Amino acid sequence: MAVNIVETEGLSKRYGSLVALNDLNLSIEEGSIYGFIGPNGAGKTTTLKILATLLSPSTGSVNICGVNVLKSPEEARELIGYMPDFFGVYDDMKVWEYMDFFGAAFRIAKARRASIIDDLLSLVDLGDKKDSYVESLSRGMKQRLCLARALIHDPKLLILDEPASGLDPRARVEIRELLKELKRMGKTIIVSSHILPELSELCTHIGIIERGTLLVSGEVEKI
């Protein structure tokens, strides 16, 4: 029987009279790649920020692996790897320093960090860039570095907001193959996009949102 790793109930977000999210009920199965699709301004980023503990909803509840995100955000963050649509990188750091900084932020013991960093850089095909400065990386490489950073504490759930945005076709393929590999490693992934064909061959499940309302959600084949 499938276990839901994410469950939201009655999730809404209002800014004055503007309804950014309207009564969202979402269930995401463990081990799935869930494509969250909708036009710009549909409520995708708002939803993902609430899941990632970065934004408080106006009403509703969120549970990740049984943890109430609103009541126990610190505990929830241990389970989540979040990659925003506009990623921030520290240009004047070397790639390994950048990873080490976030490893320390997640209180990973210094003795363990070096091997974890090497493994993750190898996974995202940046092993040969370990001693390069972040500013020297291409956009696609920076995107993969941010994905490695999101994995530093071995989260169960990856939340990726438009991870292929602004990438050339080759870099998009690289990101797509990486996500497939992460699924094989047992990760559950939520990935947002406003481009349906981009996600249709990658995802096991999709949800389509428009004007803050979830129109449909389920297995790709059925939808």
Side-chain angles (χ1 to χ4, degrees):
M1 183 176 169
V3 176
N4 288 333
I5 197 167
V6 175
E7 290 187 328
T8 76
E9 190 173 330
L11 208 61
S12 298
K13 182 64 178 177
R14 289 180 293 276
Y15 299 95
S17 60
L18 174 67
V19 179
L21 204 57
N22 181 33
D23 196 29
L24 181 76
N25 297 303
L26 195 61
S27 297
I28 297 175
E29 289 182 14
E30 188 173 15
S32 63
I33 300 182
Y34 187 92
F36 201 39
I37 299 159
N40 291 331
K44 302 188 300 296
T45 295
T46 298
T47 303
L48 298 190
K49 282 185 174 179
I50 291 172
L51 294 180
T53 77
L54 298 174
L55 194 63
S56 296
S58 302
T59 57
S61 64
V62 186
N63 282 280
I64 293 177
C65 299
V67 175
N68 186 312
V69 169
L70 307 180
K71 290 181 179 177
S72 307
E74 290 288 337
E75 189 178 349
R77 284 172 197 147
E78 297 290 332
L79 304 166
I80 297 164
Y82 174 65
M83 184 172 151
D85 51 349
F86 292 104
F87 51 90
V89 290
Y90 302 114
D91 286 343
D92 56 351
M93 294 175 104
K94 290 184 177 180
V95 166
W96 76 265
E97 290 175 323
Y98 177 81
M99 292 290 290
D100 190 66
F101 173 81
F102 283 96
F106 275 100
R107 299 184 293 277
I108 298 168
K110 191 173 180 64
R112 290 182 55 226
R113 292 204 296 266
S115 62
I116 292 171
I117 289 166
D118 284 346
D119 288 346
L120 287 173
L121 291 180
S122 176
L123 175 68
V124 301
D125 199 23
L126 288 175
D128 61 336
K129 297 291 185 181
K130 180 179 176 180
D131 290 310
S132 300
Y133 281 95
V134 172
E135 63 189 355
S136 72
L137 303 182
S138 69
R139 182 178 173 87
M141 289 177 183
K142 286 179 179 176
Q143 203 87 322
R144 299 205 305 274
L145 176 60
C146 285
L147 184 55
R149 182 210 70 203
L151 289 162
I152 192 80
H153 58 300
D154 195 23
K156 293 190 174 189
L157 174 67
L158 276 174
I159 301 174
L160 312 177
D161 196 357
E162 303 265 6
S165 176
L167 298 185
D168 62 40
R170 179 179 173 179
R172 283 172 182 265
V173 170
E174 289 170 347
I175 287 285
R176 196 161 62 224
E177 291 307 309
L178 251 176
L179 298 188
K180 288 178 182 176
E181 178 62 25
L182 289 168
K183 181 184 185 300
R184 286 191 287 269
M185 291 167 63
K187 302 296 182 190
T188 304
I189 303 168
I190 306 174
V191 53
S192 77
S193 178
H194 59 280
I195 306 169
L196 179 58
E198 190 173 88
L199 296 184
S200 58
E201 65 178 75
L202 170 69
C203 297
T204 57
H205 299 70
I206 59 170
I208 298 173
I209 187 170
E210 187 171 9
R211 295 180 185 175
T213 300
L214 188 66
L215 302 180
V216 65
S217 179
E219 295 177 21
V220 169
E221 293 80 7
K222 292 179 180 176
I223 291 179

